[in-house]
Amino acid sequence: MGPGPVNADPRVLRAMSAQLVGQYDPSMTAYMNETMELYRGVFRTRNAATLLVDGTSRAGIEAAIVSLVEPGDRVLVPIFGRFGHLLAEIAGRAGADVHTIETEWGEVFAPERIEAAMREVRPKLLAVVHGDTSTTVAQPLDELAAICAEHGALFYTDVTASLGGNEFEMDAWGLDAATAGLQKCLGGPSGSAPISLSPAAVERIESRKSIEAGIRSAGDAVRADPIRSNYFDLGMILDYWGEKRLNHHTEATSMLYGARECARLLLDEGMDQAIDRHRVNGAAMAAGAAAMGLELFGDQAHRMHNVVGVAIPDGVDGERVRGALLEDFAIEIGTSFGPLHGRIWRIGTMGFNARRDAVLTTLAALEQVLRAEGHPVTAGAGVGAARDAYADAAGAGA
Amino acid sequence: MGPGPVNADPRVLRAMSAQLVGQYDPSMTAYMNETMELYRGVFRTRNAATLLVDGTSRAGIEAAIVSLVEPGDRVLVPIFGRFGHLLAEIAGRAGADVHTIETEWGEVFAPERIEAAMREVRPKLLAVVHGDTSTTVAQPLDELAAICAEHGALFYTDVTASLGGNEFEMDAWGLDAATAGLQKCLGGPSGSAPISLSPAAVERIESRKSIEAGIRSAGDAVRADPIRSNYFDLGMILDYWGEKRLNHHTEATSMLYGARECARLLLDEGMDQAIDRHRVNGAAMAAGAAAMGLELFGDQAHRMHNVVGVAIPDGVDGERVRGALLEDFAIEIGTSFGPLHGRIWRIGTMGFNARRDAVLTTLAALEQVLRAEGHPVTAGAGVGAARDAYADAAGAGA
């Protein structure tokens, strides 16, 4: 019950134990094409360029940034948590001229503040995290595409922590690039990074191929400055997944099976239903924690559905509580870092764990552990409030 | 029965279906440490810095090169097949001043020729593929470390295609860096890249950290030229796998389970025994193909144990033969590319497929398909010769 990675859906793990086929076997081509179509449904996009990067969610981020950004390009990164810092660092290493704005952890940006920075910086790329588990809040994205369009910037977001459990609309919100991972609301293991690119993003990537032509054909001295990575060159990866089927890496077949099953699980349930399940379970967890007298962290109007920040009460040793939950109840909740180190726990309700029994069991266990630590908790308050939250949600849905 | 990826050992696939644990769960730390120790056995090294890069074998190559090479550094790449071109390209994208020497596909380099190039180029890194499945031959490495030491160069090799099925001695041969993948002789799926780094390699990586200190602490403008990748920064990855356990990527837990099981399989069997199994099965396949009147490709004295190149006879349509083998017998053999396109098939005997029944079934099926294509084959000649080869090997071993 941490902020991710979390335990995977058993259906995903079973899918990953299927035998491999050769990477140019006709059935493998069919699996890849099917996976692309499934992720169009998950990202809610018609982008042809929707595929997997073979690596963790961080690999997807780096592939997007290093492929979209040429050395010297200005990039704007609004930072409201740890993963904003990561986007800035990766863009810096890709040679970008990185500009950042920051807000306090637990808050998000008003669109006006991002717009003002866009006017000042005039970046080629706006790179912003959607939901940042380090602070448990999600940045609204729906007004930013218009600002990017006005300034001729591409618009990239990292939806690793939010996709599948929070509203996200790649096309309706006007994103040019989005990258994810399996280990949060998608119910899978880390190790595959779904990515989607708009036609404008693909065009920018394709326009860089000319400077690479020399490299691709030459076995000898190479001194041009093309995409600074072979592994993350989305132009080449697109040619591998696309109709050309040009060899690049050897697709990580077991991870592809897993990613495919993650998308099937979400689409079988329905994206709206899956997001609503995360909303309801997250709300129940938050209500239960609050009813135990715990203070919720951050801007609750922008709280992610799949993780809640809970202030560690004065006099309570946060790490002892986490240790007791793990040892006595086999339940993991998250610590925190950076400015929140030692101040909050982060409790997740995502993927396979966005379930009523998981939420109520966690609240019941937390009550026992807090009492054992000498912190007063009204017996049954947390579970009772969560039950009420489920009843309210069922009533609202009926 | 292609040149890889091949079907995985069922034990590896079962291991990958195990449930996940949190990445800082004490048991996860134990799994990571155990995996490091297992791969020391596989690489035959005492290098503390022996771990996994989360991505395909190509990710391991790029991590090694981008972490060891600073922009402008001279790198020498002897090219004897497709993957040598890949090393040169990746080094070029990392900003290296890349120098190459080439030999005909199917041949390897005499150490004297590499030594002469080292004297001329004076590189900081010698990067050479060990076994290159594109040509089915393996470059002898055991005399190159002394040459590197004399010129103060680090010595890196890509053992993706050879490790576990061909003699390889990280420490005894004096390697500074080696990277692999699971999808060849290790019997697993693509998606995890075992890597080992000598103390000298680690020292070079650590020495680059100072210029990165600014980046790591800063959320704002970054213009230094440190390791050009966050995902492949082996300094950070070492701090994640090492005692500091600093957060970097989220470990791809299912792939780690798979990689761990691959190493256990090899070490349970014994490295010498596993290599011998590949040698015997590769020799049987080669003997069987030759007995069917097929010409073997390349320098047979340096043939890899796990893949044999077979010339496509005049008048035979190589792709029709591959298609019939796949459709009628569910057996995949490899095509070829570059200068060998349309000239040879590549038949693998590796990992789970380095088995007597797999070899004999493939030869029996190939006989049927060749005959159906109108190519004359003496009935039973291939299987008979392979059986003799097994008997000879058993006699020699007894």
Side-chain angles (χ1 to χ4, degrees):
Chain A
M1 305 299 284
V6 298
N7 37 322
D9 192 298
R11 244 180 76 175
V12 176
L13 297 174
R14 277 199 300 275
M16 293 183 67
S17 68
Q19 187 49 275
L20 313 179
V21 294
Q23 66 172 333
Y24 290 105
D25 190 293
S27 57
M28 183 66 184
T29 301
Y31 300 157
M32 290 172 76
N33 289 338
E34 181 194 353
T35 302
M36 296 174 88
E37 184 59 23
L38 288 165
Y39 275 94
R40 289 184 193 110
V42 173
F43 281 113
R44 294 186 146 159
T45 183
R46 299 180 63 183
N47 290 336
T50 302
L51 44 105
L52 306 176
V53 172
D54 281 0
T56 72
S57 44
R58 185 177 291 235
I61 295 170
E62 187 156 320
I65 289 177
V66 79
S67 295
L68 291 173
V69 170
E70 293 181 47
D73 280 358
R74 279 190 300 277
V75 173
L76 176 65
V77 185
I79 297 175
F80 60 98
R82 177 204 175 112
F83 290 98
H85 285 288
L86 179 64
L87 300 191
E89 197 215 291
I90 289 173
R93 296 206 190 205
D97 177 9
V98 182
H99 297 256
T100 62
I101 53 175
E102 291 196 46
T103 191
E104 193 145 347
W105 285 34
E107 306 299 319
V108 297
F109 291 94
E112 297 73 24
R113 189 156 168 226
I114 294 176
E115 185 169 22
M118 291 287 289
R119 253 198 312 273
E120 193 186 317
V121 174
R122 287 168 296 113
K124 283 199 166 179
L125 180 73
L126 172 66
V128 55
V129 172
H130 185 210
D132 195 320
T133 46
S134 70
T135 72
T136 74
V137 298
Q139 172 65 43
L141 301 175
D142 53 333
E143 294 183 43
L144 302 184
I147 301 169
C148 286
E150 197 184 325
H151 293 84
L154 292 180
F155 179 18
Y156 160 67
T157 188
D158 168 26
V159 294
T160 301
S162 57
L163 189 68
N166 301 266
E167 290 76 10
F168 178 72
E169 300 277 348
M170 178 104 201
D171 287 359
W173 293 356
L175 268 298
D176 289 301
T179 62
L182 307 185
Q183 73 274 20
K184 307 274 186 177
C185 303
L186 272 66
S190 171
S192 179
I195 181 171
S196 186
L197 300 163
S198 74
V202 171
E203 192 183 329
R204 184 171 294 182
I205 292 164
E206 293 288 329
S207 74
R208 299 183 68 180
K209 278 192 178 170
S210 55
I211 47 173
E212 282 161 44
I215 285 194
R216 293 201 192 192
S217 61
D220 52 11
V222 168
R223 290 186 192 77
D225 205 336
I227 292 177
R228 285 183 167 188
S229 170
N230 169 291
Y231 193 70
F232 292 135
D233 181 333
L234 286 172
M236 296 172 84
I237 296 173
L238 283 166
D239 286 343
Y240 176 62
W241 281 78
E243 286 182 12
K244 294 182 189 166
R245 297 286 290 143
L246 296 182
N247 191 278
H248 183 245
H249 62 285
T250 298
E251 183 57 20
T253 308
S254 301
M255 288 307 310
L256 178 131
Y257 291 165
R260 184 173 62 150
E261 197 67 12
C262 288
R264 281 174 169 167
L265 278 167
L266 282 176
L267 295 172
D268 285 355
E269 180 179 10
M271 287 303 294
D272 286 335
Q273 287 76 5
I275 292 164
D276 200 54
R277 174 170 54 84
H278 283 86
R279 187 184 59 71
V280 169
N281 283 287
M285 183 69 87
M292 285 198 285
L294 299 170
E295 188 191 340
L296 305 185
F297 171 79
D299 174 359
Q300 292 300 299
H302 294 101
R303 180 167 53 74
M304 296 167 71
H305 293 157
N306 52 313
V307 58
V308 58
V310 175
I312 300 168
D314 285 342
V316 169
D317 182 331
E319 288 307 289
R320 274 175 55 119
V321 167
R322 290 180 65 239
L325 277 171
L326 185 60
E327 185 157 342
D328 290 349
F329 299 94
I331 293 172
E332 180 180 332
I333 67 170
T335 181
S336 54
F337 38 73
L340 302 179
H341 179 67
R343 288 177 51 200
I344 68 166
W345 295 302
R346 295 173 301 142
I347 308 180
T349 46
M350 65 187 86
F352 185 60
N353 291 350
R355 295 191 327 265
R356 180 184 176 103
D357 65 295
V359 169
L360 297 184
T361 305
T362 301
L363 289 167
L366 184 58
E367 178 185 317
Q368 297 297 329
V369 171
L370 285 173
R371 189 173 298 125
E373 289 288 314
H375 186 72
V377 185
T378 308
V383 168
R387 274 206 186 106
D388 291 345
Y390 284 116
D392 287 351
Chain B
M1 304 299 284
V6 298
N7 36 322
D9 192 298
R11 242 180 78 175
V12 176
L13 297 174
R14 277 199 300 275
M16 292 183 67
S17 68
Q19 188 48 276
L20 313 179
V21 294
Q23 68 172 332
Y24 290 105
D25 190 293
S27 57
M28 183 67 185
T29 300
Y31 300 156
M32 292 172 75
N33 289 339
E34 181 193 353
T35 302
M36 296 173 87
E37 183 60 21
L38 287 165
Y39 275 94
R40 289 184 194 111
V42 173
F43 281 113
R44 294 185 148 160
T45 183
R46 299 181 62 184
N47 290 336
T50 303
L51 45 106
L52 306 176
V53 172
D54 280 1
T56 72
S57 43
R58 185 176 292 233
I61 296 170
E62 186 156 320
I65 290 178
V66 80
S67 295
L68 290 172
V69 170
E70 292 181 47
D73 279 358
R74 279 189 301 276
V75 174
L76 176 66
V77 184
I79 296 176
F80 60 99
R82 177 207 174 110
F83 291 97
H85 285 287
L86 179 65
L87 300 191
E89 197 215 292
I90 290 173
R93 295 205 190 206
D97 178 7
V98 182
H99 296 256
T100 62
I101 53 175
E102 291 197 47
T103 190
E104 195 145 346
W105 286 34
E107 305 299 318
V108 298
F109 292 93
E112 296 73 25
R113 185 151 172 232
I114 293 175
E115 184 170 24
M118 291 287 289
R119 252 197 313 275
E120 193 185 317
V121 174
R122 288 169 294 113
K124 284 201 165 177
L125 180 73
L126 171 66
V128 56
V129 172
H130 185 210
D132 195 318
T133 47
S134 70
T135 72
T136 74
V137 299
Q139 172 65 44
L141 300 176
D142 53 333
E143 294 184 42
L144 302 184
I147 301 170
C148 287
E150 196 184 324
H151 293 84
L154 292 180
F155 180 17
Y156 160 67
T157 189
D158 168 26
V159 294
T160 301
S162 57
L163 190 68
N166 300 267
E167 291 75 12
F168 179 72
E169 300 277 349
M170 179 105 201
D171 287 359
W173 292 357
L175 268 299
D176 290 301
T179 62
L182 307 185
Q183 73 274 19
K184 308 273 187 179
C185 303
L186 273 65
S190 170
S192 179
I195 182 172
S196 185
L197 300 163
S198 74
V202 171
E203 191 183 329
R204 184 172 293 183
I205 292 164
E206 294 288 329
S207 74
R208 299 183 68 180
K209 278 192 178 168
S210 54
I211 46 172
E212 282 162 41
I215 285 193
R216 293 201 193 194
S217 61
D220 52 10
V222 168
R223 288 185 195 76
D225 205 336
I227 292 178
R228 285 182 167 189
S229 169
N230 169 291
Y231 193 71
F232 292 135
D233 181 332
L234 286 172
M236 295 172 83
I237 296 173
L238 283 166
D239 286 343
Y240 176 61
W241 281 78
E243 286 183 13
K244 293 183 189 165
R245 297 285 290 141
L246 296 181
N247 190 279
H248 183 246
H249 62 287
T250 298
E251 183 57 19
T253 307
S254 300
M255 287 307 311
L256 177 131
Y257 291 165
R260 184 174 61 151
E261 197 67 11
C262 288
R264 281 173 169 167
L265 278 168
L266 283 175
L267 296 171
D268 285 356
E269 180 179 10
M271 287 304 294
D272 287 333
Q273 288 76 5
I275 292 164
D276 201 54
R277 173 170 54 85
H278 282 85
R279 188 183 59 70
V280 169
N281 283 286
M285 183 69 87
M292 285 199 285
L294 299 170
E295 188 192 339
L296 305 185
F297 172 79
D299 174 359
Q300 292 301 299
H302 294 101
R303 180 167 53 73
M304 295 168 71
H305 294 157
N306 51 313
V307 59
V308 60
V310 175
I312 300 168
D314 285 342
V316 169
D317 182 331
E319 287 307 288
R320 274 174 55 118
V321 168
R322 290 180 65 238
L325 277 171
L326 185 60
E327 186 157 340
D328 291 348
F329 299 94
I331 293 172
E332 180 181 332
I333 67 169
T335 182
S336 54
F337 40 74
L340 302 179
H341 179 68
R343 288 177 50 201
I344 68 167
W345 296 302
R346 296 174 300 144
I347 308 180
T349 47
M350 64 187 86
F352 185 60
N353 291 350
R355 295 192 325 265
R356 179 183 177 102
D357 64 295
V359 169
L360 297 184
T361 304
T362 300
L363 289 167
L366 184 58
E367 178 185 317
Q368 297 297 328
V369 171
L370 285 173
R371 188 172 299 124
E373 289 287 315
H375 186 74
V377 185
T378 308
V383 167
R387 274 206 187 105
D388 291 346
Y390 284 116
D392 287 352

